[in-house]
């Protein structure tokens, strides 16, 4: 095979129903067609007595070999067998799913006369290997490096499983890129030609996942992700399932026969339903005709677009709720959205388009790039950016992701100090200074948390960073510089440096540790709202306690200074000593005191100290005046 003038990298959109591969070549994006000439390839694997088929050949024989034709592997990858979504989906799949030894779902098929079990990663790796072969043939070289796209709300387990599948397929993964972000890059190549900043909503509804992202694209092509949302288990396959359920019930009502347990019948019905769904995007009515569907019965029925919409209206409404939630997170009114971009094959559904247009008061929808290809298109730009450093056109295209939750450190009193707020564009770097909280403190233990609550223990502990052998000194004298640095790949590095001794240490937190499922993230955000009043009261109380503690410490330190004691009378020195001692004891026994009590104590102390300082200043002034008169 030949080689290019520089290292090549491909981009693969690993879809639930269809996958697509692209490459940046000759200063433009090229979507690579497979051997059948199709620009997308079914994410489908078929096992027979003689061979294993991938892509179009597998899909073409699905109706006659349904029990051994595997699809929707993306809906299984990284999930457990007990997952509610897996349990729901497997009722409608014609292939068999069993529980593996580690609790993961296993796909069971008959291959070359023997029963075989496959993990979802293995099935996905076959699709990824197919896409690699398609690219290798077109480019006439062995491509190792790839950017692979995943839904924005894929969790840690699902992302790791996708990387594992890619590795099995022979790919070196440059980056897992969120699908709506990839689409933002694709459209950013053209949209940034408009003057000024524009807000773009990416609506990505595919075969098995749904993502929404709000991004800002400036005139220079810089893309900033403001907020995102979605559902890693919602898409065209759910619409197919609703139709399948509908016709299973209709068949039973007509013929008093239940086909829900017959894999072959379900497989053939599913193929017919998917075909009908596509037809309904351009016509208002279509028919389902299947010869010998079950027990020799020929099944024929009609379905209208209106009925299809009725079956799936709850899914469509859920999509609109997600759009509104994304705008709420971004704190942007829908009137400020300049463009609405459609990505994913399911956005061809007229009702989806109509509801989006109604939501945005008639705004036209952007479909200049084939929705099946937009994700691979944008991912290919990023692949080129990571490989071809000399290409200024792609180097100027910058993608900024956001932190879904705040990141920070635990402070005295189990208080969460936010260093990087949620929805901060990444990459991002922030430095803060921490001071010792006790005399002769020799060690700093920095606890890194993620979340929105005021109390650190109500958030997620990501890790601890220890810095030892600090110079011994009074409280607050020794300082440590702490740096939070999160890169464009989502990896967080927390480093600490003590300038006098030069001691330093660091902690790396991977992007997978920072990612959570949509449900987990939503719960943390809802809890922050639910307990907002309590959290604010807690923060107010702890900050008041810390401020009073610092004041008392400073008072004790002043009273140890002989120069200061010399300016006070003996009686005032005794009073101040007694005040400092009593306040120290008071703080020890009133650590849980309410804010009002702390505020009152602070006012009392400051009043005593102020009266003594004022009396001392008057005495100094009188002494100075008498000295002047005498002279």
């Amino acid at each position: 095979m030949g080689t290019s003038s520089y290292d090549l990298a491909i981009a693969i959109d690993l879809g639930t129903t269809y996958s697509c591969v692209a490459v940046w070549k000759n200063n433009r994006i090229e979507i690579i067609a497979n051997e059948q000439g199709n620009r997308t390839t079914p994410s489908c694997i078929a096992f027979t007595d003689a061979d294993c088929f991938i892509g179009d050949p597998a899909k073409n024989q699905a109706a006659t070999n349904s029990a051994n034709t595997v699809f929707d592997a993306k809906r299984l990858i990284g999930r457990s067998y007990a997952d509610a979504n897996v349990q729901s989906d497997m009722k409608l799949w014609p292939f068999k799913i069993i529980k593996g030894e580690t609790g993961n779902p296993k796909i069971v098929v008959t291959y070359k006369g023997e029963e075989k079990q496959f993990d979802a990663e293995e099935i996905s790796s076959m699709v990824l290997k197919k896409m690699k072969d398609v690219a290798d043939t077109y480019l006439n070289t062995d491509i190792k490096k790839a950017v692979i796209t995943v839904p924005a709300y894929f969790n840690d387990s699902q992302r790791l499983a996708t990387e594992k599948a890619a590795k099995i397929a022979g790919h070196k993964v440059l980056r897992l890129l969120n699908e709506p972000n990839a689409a933002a890059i694709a459209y950013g190549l053209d949209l940034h030609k408009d003057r000024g900043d524009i807000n773009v909503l990416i609506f990505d509804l595919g075969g098995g996942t749904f993502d929404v992202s709000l991004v800002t694209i400036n005139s220079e092509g810089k893309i900033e992700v403001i907020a995102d949302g979605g559902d890693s288990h919602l898409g065209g396959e759910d619409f197919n399932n609703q139709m399948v359920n509908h016709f299973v019930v209709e068949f039973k009502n007509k013929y008093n026969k239940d086909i829900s347990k017959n894999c072959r019948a379900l497989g053939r019905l599913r193929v017919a339903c998917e075909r009908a769904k596509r037809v309904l995007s351009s016509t208002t009515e279509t028919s389902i005709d299947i010869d010998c569907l079950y027990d020799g019965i020929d099944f024929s029925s009609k379905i209208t677009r209106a009925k299809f919409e009725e079956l799936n209206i709850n899914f469509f409404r859920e999509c609109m709720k997600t759009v509104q939630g994304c705008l709420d997170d971004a704190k942007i009114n829908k009137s400020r959205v300049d463009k609405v971009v459609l990505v994913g094959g399911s956005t061809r559904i007229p009702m989806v388009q109509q509801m989006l247009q109604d939501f945005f008061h008639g705004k036209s929808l952007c479909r200049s790039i084939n929705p099946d290809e937009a994700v691979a298109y944008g991912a290919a730009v990023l692949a080129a950016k990571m490989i071809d450093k000399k290409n200024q056109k792609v180097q100027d295209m910058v993608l900024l992701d956001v932190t879904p939750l705040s990141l920070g450190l635990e402070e005295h009193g189990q208080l969460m100090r936010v260093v990087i707020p949620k929805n901060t564009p990444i990459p991002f770097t922030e430095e803060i200074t921490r001071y010792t909280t006790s005399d002769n403190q020799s060690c700093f233990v920095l606890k890194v948390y993620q979340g929105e609550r005021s109390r650190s223990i109500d958030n997620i502990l990501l890790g601890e960073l220890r810095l030892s052998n600090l110079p011994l000194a009074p409280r607050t004298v020794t300082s440590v510089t702490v740096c939070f640095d999160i890169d464009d790949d989502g990896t967080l590095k927390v480093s600490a440096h003590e300038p006098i001794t030069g001691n330093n240490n660091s902690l790396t937190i991977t992007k997978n540790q920072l990612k959570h499922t949509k449900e987990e993230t939503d719960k943390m955000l809802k809890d922050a709202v639910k307990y907002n009043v309590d959290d604010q009261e807690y923060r107010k109380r702890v900050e008041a306690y810390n401020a009073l503690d610092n004041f008392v410490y400073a008072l004790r330190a002043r009273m140890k200074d002989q120069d200061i004691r010399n300016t006070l009378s003996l009686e005032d020195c005794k009073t101040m000593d007694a005040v400092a001692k009593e306040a120290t004891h008071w703080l020890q026994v009133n650590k849980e005191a309410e804010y009002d009590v702390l505020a009152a104590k602070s006012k009392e102390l400051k009043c005593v100290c102020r009266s003594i300082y004022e009396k001392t200043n008057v005495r100094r002034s009188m002494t100075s005046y008498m000295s002047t008169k005498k002279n």
Side-chain angles (χ1 to χ4, degrees):
M1 289 188 175
T3 56
S4 304
S5 58
Y6 63 90
D7 221 359
L8 280 172
I10 56 174
I12 300 176
D13 172 16
L14 178 62
T16 306
T17 52
Y18 286 87
S19 294
C20 185
V21 60
V23 67
W24 178 280
K25 187 181 180 186
N26 300 324
N27 222 30
R28 65 186 179 90
I29 298 296
E30 295 188 20
I31 302 294
I32 305 174
N34 60 28
E35 62 270 27
Q36 279 79 30
N38 298 323
R39 290 161 69 90
T40 59
T41 299
S43 303
C44 187
I45 312 290
F47 300 92
T48 69
D49 289 339
D51 211 341
C52 171
F53 299 103
I54 305 173
D56 292 295
K59 189 174 181 64
N60 292 338
Q61 56 84 74
T64 58
N65 184 33
S66 55
N68 299 305
T69 302
V70 182
F71 52 91
D72 283 3
K74 188 173 177 178
R75 287 197 151 192
L76 286 171
I77 197 166
R79 295 183 183 272
S80 69
Y81 178 82
D83 188 296
N85 290 316
V86 173
Q87 291 297 309
S88 174
D89 284 341
M90 62 188 284
K91 294 176 183 177
L92 290 171
W93 284 328
F95 48 88
K96 184 179 179 181
I97 304 292
I98 64 170
K99 184 177 181 180
E101 292 180 359
T102 59
N104 62 312
K106 287 275 191 179
I107 300 161
V108 182
V109 296
T110 301
Y111 179 39
K112 293 184 177 181
E114 296 181 8
E115 185 176 279
K116 299 285 187 181
Q117 297 180 9
F118 294 95
D119 291 324
E121 295 93 320
E122 294 178 279
I123 298 297
S124 292
S125 74
M126 295 177 191
V127 178
L128 289 169
K129 179 64 166 61
K130 173 68 177 180
M131 305 316 293
K132 182 182 186 303
D133 292 342
V134 168
D136 287 353
T137 300
Y138 175 74
L139 297 169
N140 194 34
T141 188
D142 184 17
I143 305 296
K144 297 291 187 183
K145 299 174 182 177
V147 169
I148 297 174
T149 62
V150 293
Y153 272 93
F154 251 25
N155 62 25
D156 179 33
S157 176
Q158 290 167 304
R159 290 171 187 269
L160 288 174
T162 302
E163 285 187 297
K164 179 182 177 182
K167 186 176 180 180
I168 295 172
H171 293 288
K172 178 183 179 182
V173 181
L174 295 176
R175 181 170 174 181
L176 291 181
L177 177 64
N178 287 347
E179 289 166 5
N181 295 357
I185 298 177
Y187 280 92
L189 288 172
D190 297 320
L191 293 178
H192 81 268
K193 296 173 184 176
D194 296 356
R195 291 185 177 181
D197 294 356
I198 59 172
N199 294 320
V200 181
L201 184 114
I202 310 292
F203 186 93
D204 182 0
L205 184 60
T209 58
F210 172 53
D211 288 302
V212 177
S213 285
L214 185 71
V215 305
T216 297
I217 305 176
N218 68 15
S219 58
E220 297 176 348
K222 182 179 179 182
I223 301 172
E224 179 180 340
V225 181
I226 306 300
D228 55 29
D231 189 332
S232 62
H233 201 272
L234 172 61
E237 289 296 314
D238 295 288
F239 311 149
N240 295 345
N241 290 341
Q242 290 295 93
M243 294 177 69
V244 170
N245 287 333
H246 169 72
F247 286 116
V248 166
V249 172
E250 182 177 317
F251 191 90
K252 187 172 184 179
N253 291 338
K254 279 185 177 180
Y255 305 105
N256 196 29
K257 292 183 182 291
D258 184 7
I259 65 172
S260 62
K261 299 293 188 286
N262 188 287
C263 293
R264 188 171 186 274
L266 277 182
R268 296 180 67 201
L269 182 57
R270 178 181 293 277
V271 171
C273 286
E274 183 181 358
R275 187 183 303 116
K277 179 188 69 175
R278 293 173 181 271
V279 172
L280 288 174
S281 291
S282 55
T283 64
T284 58
E285 183 179 292
T286 189
S287 61
I288 297 277
D289 296 295
I290 309 173
D291 294 337
C292 296
L293 177 59
Y294 185 72
D295 267 4
I297 300 172
D298 297 335
F299 181 63
S300 181
S301 183
K302 291 185 181 297
I303 184 167
T304 63
R305 182 186 292 176
K307 184 61 179 179
F308 171 77
E309 292 169 352
E310 178 191 326
L311 291 172
N312 292 288
I313 190 63
N314 289 337
F315 289 130
F316 301 152
R317 287 171 177 163
E318 193 63 36
C319 290
M320 296 306 112
K321 288 180 183 178
T322 302
V323 171
Q324 184 62 62
C326 183
L327 296 178
D328 291 342
D329 286 346
K331 296 180 175 61
I332 287 181
N333 188 276
K334 66 177 72 175
S335 62
R336 293 178 56 196
V337 175
D338 302 294
K339 301 279 186 181
V340 179
V341 170
L342 299 185
V343 182
S346 295
T347 58
R348 292 189 175 92
I349 296 172
M351 175 59 84
V352 171
Q353 296 182 10
Q354 186 60 53
M355 291 180 77
L356 261 180
Q357 281 194 305
D358 291 345
F359 183 87
F360 286 103
H361 307 304
K363 188 183 295 294
S364 61
L365 308 177
C366 188
R367 290 169 280 178
S368 59
I369 300 177
N370 186 325
D372 295 322
E373 301 171 0
V375 170
Y377 193 101
V381 176
L382 182 63
K385 177 182 173 67
M386 298 178 75
I387 292 295
D388 189 6
K389 302 297 184 182
K390 295 180 181 179
N391 191 322
Q392 198 58 45
K393 185 173 183 179
V394 292
Q395 290 306 317
D396 288 343
M397 179 60 66
V398 180
L399 174 69
L400 294 179
D401 208 339
V402 298
T403 54
L405 295 166
S406 299
L407 299 165
L409 293 172
E410 180 182 74
E411 289 200 327
H412 190 58
Q414 293 186 329
L415 203 61
M416 167 78 162
R417 176 177 180 179
V418 173
V419 180
I420 301 181
K422 74 167 184 170
N423 282 334
T424 296
I426 60 175
F428 185 80
T429 301
E430 182 70 19
E431 277 191 357
I432 63 170
T433 301
R434 293 286 304 274
Y435 296 91
T436 51
T437 57
S438 60
D439 293 338
N440 298 318
Q441 184 176 329
S442 62
C443 177
F444 249 122
V445 177
L446 304 171
K447 293 185 178 181
V448 182
Y449 282 89
Q450 180 186 40
E452 307 305 317
R453 303 290 300 279
S454 291
R455 291 204 314 172
S456 57
I457 58 173
D458 290 329
N459 297 309
I460 299 170
L461 177 63
L462 297 174
E464 292 186 2
L465 175 61
R466 184 177 292 270
L467 197 62
S468 303
N469 300 320
L470 300 178
L472 303 183
R475 167 178 164 178
T476 73
V477 171
T478 301
S479 66
V480 172
T481 300
V482 183
C483 178
F484 275 55
D485 181 17
I486 186 166
D487 63 21
D488 57 5
D489 196 36
T491 298
L492 173 66
K493 181 178 180 181
V494 182
S495 57
H497 173 74
E498 195 283 303
I500 297 177
T501 62
N503 286 350
N504 61 82
N505 200 358
S506 64
L507 169 70
T508 298
I509 300 165
T510 67
K511 59 185 177 183
N512 294 320
Q513 292 174 269
L514 297 173
K515 289 287 183 181
H516 307 284
T517 65
K518 179 182 184 298
E519 291 76 15
E520 291 169 337
T521 302
D522 285 348
K523 183 181 185 304
M524 285 185 276
L525 294 175
K526 287 177 181 177
D527 283 350
V529 174
K530 180 179 179 180
Y531 299 109
N532 179 58
V533 174
D534 291 341
D535 283 353
Q536 292 304 318
E537 286 297 320
Y538 177 81
R539 180 174 292 278
K540 187 177 177 182
R541 182 179 67 78
V542 173
E543 287 178 346
Y545 182 92
N546 290 342
L548 180 57
D549 186 39
N550 290 334
F551 179 83
V552 173
Y553 178 83
L555 176 61
R556 294 201 311 268
R558 285 175 64 85
M559 294 312 299
K560 291 178 183 178
D561 188 325
Q562 193 58 48
D563 290 339
I564 291 177
R565 295 187 73 90
N566 290 339
T567 65
L568 302 174
S569 67
L570 182 59
E571 180 184 350
D572 288 340
C573 283
K574 289 181 179 179
T575 300
M576 294 289 274
D577 287 339
V579 166
K581 183 177 180 181
E582 187 277 333
T584 301
H585 176 73
W586 189 93
L587 284 168
Q588 291 174 346
V589 298
N590 289 277
K591 291 184 178 180
E592 302 299 324
E594 295 299 324
Y595 171 79
D596 291 344
V597 176
L598 291 164
K601 186 64 177 179
S602 178
K603 183 177 181 180
E604 174 192 324
L605 282 175
K606 289 177 181 179
C607 183
V608 172
C609 294
R610 190 183 304 113
S611 65
I612 291 177
Y613 291 148
E614 288 175 352
K615 183 170 65 175
T616 301
N617 289 334
V618 168
R619 188 171 64 249
R620 283 179 184 167
S621 299
M622 290 297 296
T623 302
S624 176
Y625 174 76
M626 294 301 295
S627 177
T628 301
K629 291 289 288 181
K630 184 177 180 179
N631 291 334

